[in-house]
Amino acid sequence: DAGVTQSPTHLIKTRGQQVTLRCSPKSGHDTVSWYQQALGQGPQFIFQYYEEEERQRGNFPDRFSGHQFPNYSSELNVNALLLGDSALYLCASSFLFANTGELFFGEGSRLTVL
Amino acid sequence: AQTVTQSQPEMSVQEAETVTLSCTYDTSESDYYLFWYKQPPSRQMILVIRQEAYKQQNATENRFSVNFQKAAKSFSLKISDSQLGDAAMYFCAYRTSGNTPLVFGKGTRLSVIA
């Protein structure tokens, strides 16, 4: 049973560029959340997708956008990259009606902005 | 807003000994979940243990156990018989019921000394 998979694992961009990160949720999961983890910090919630719609959003600017596809996979897009966007981006999946509260995480995409 | 505080940025323990990691949280909710996640250098967040707030009994998973003090809003993790593979960042996290986002602490880096 494949867990949460993310791609790419590492990428380097320059300021002002745009980036797309991808996530496939764990089999049976219908909800995908994205988190940003700066170096030495805990993850911060960006947004959550369910039924192809953004359901909840954290305190991130509109430069951060996303999408969820009919197969539940998801993309995170960041426009006009800033140096401060350098971080590990984690995707987490869950089943909306699960009663465990648990999220399953991927290994993350490490973004470096130069 | 809910917050999670981990007051120990770094901890160390001798192999085979016991260590306790501290976590406090702030919430006005009565129904919620608490988690300890482990993040090794491979970056993937791995669930260590989960506690539902309505359960008075402390959760236990093999060598890992928690001390959940609801009134004090405290949720500490005890690792018994520490192993070299336990070395990692440990994050305390909170979420309410209803598929809300996880709120993470800043983490505690645990070193295990052979």
Side-chain angles (χ1 to χ4, degrees):
Chain A
D1 177 24
V4 180
T5 58
Q6 293 186 242
S7 64
T9 55
H10 296 84
L11 68 166
I12 300 173
K13 294 286 187 177
T14 57
R15 281 178 296 175
Q17 284 189 314
Q18 179 264 346
V19 68
T20 297
L21 309 178
R22 296 175 177 83
C23 172
S24 292
K26 181 178 171 64
S27 178
H29 286 182
D30 55 8
T31 303
V32 173
S33 301
W34 289 90
Y35 290 78
Q36 180 195 65
Q37 186 178 15
L39 196 62
Q41 299 294 316
Q44 298 289 319
F45 173 70
I46 302 175
F47 43 53
Q48 178 194 79
Y49 276 84
Y50 171 70
E51 289 188 334
E52 303 179 47
E53 290 190 11
E54 182 182 296
R55 299 293 179 169
Q56 300 184 69
R57 189 179 184 92
N59 188 25
F60 280 81
D62 292 344
R63 298 186 298 109
F64 289 76
S65 63
H67 190 77
Q68 186 180 33
F69 299 94
N71 66 353
Y72 307 117
S73 66
S74 177
E75 289 182 350
L76 164 65
N77 301 292
V78 187
N79 294 322
L81 285 167
L82 304 174
L83 295 179
D85 295 331
S86 295
L88 179 67
Y89 289 85
L90 295 168
C91 173
S93 73
S94 59
F95 178 59
L96 182 66
F97 297 104
N99 60 2
T100 63
E102 180 182 353
L103 298 187
F104 292 78
F105 285 85
E107 293 189 359
S109 295
R110 171 78 66 192
L111 171 64
T112 301
V113 182
L114 302 177
Chain B
Q2 294 90 357
T3 58
V4 176
T5 301
Q6 294 180 247
S7 59
Q8 306 152 315
E10 296 185 1
M11 293 282 286
S12 62
V13 62
Q14 292 280 347
E15 197 175 5
E17 296 296 310
T18 296
V19 65
T20 298
L21 308 183
S22 301
C23 173
T24 58
Y25 58 96
D26 185 24
T27 183
S28 58
E29 302 288 336
S30 59
D31 186 17
Y32 52 87
Y33 301 95
L34 294 164
F35 306 88
W36 280 97
Y37 278 90
K38 169 185 177 181
Q39 188 179 41
S42 66
R43 310 180 320 196
Q44 185 169 20
M45 287 279 190
I46 302 166
L47 180 67
V48 174
I49 199 164
R50 180 184 75 244
Q51 175 82 43
E52 290 93 336
Y54 68 88
K55 291 186 177 179
Q56 293 186 344
Q57 186 173 6
N58 290 323
T60 299
E61 290 287 343
N62 301 314
R63 298 183 295 108
F64 299 87
S65 61
V66 298
N67 183 3
F68 173 47
Q69 301 290 327
K70 190 172 184 179
K73 297 180 182 176
S74 171
F75 183 62
S76 61
L77 173 69
K78 185 172 80 171
I79 306 174
S80 304
D81 186 26
S82 296
Q83 301 175 359
L84 294 178
D86 294 334
M89 284 291 290
Y90 285 82
F91 291 95
C92 179
Y94 158 100
R95 73 185 303 199
T96 60
S97 59
N99 215 30
T100 56
L102 274 173
V103 177
F104 286 87
K106 290 188 175 182
T108 296
R109 180 175 301 280
L110 178 67
S111 301
V112 181
I113 303 165

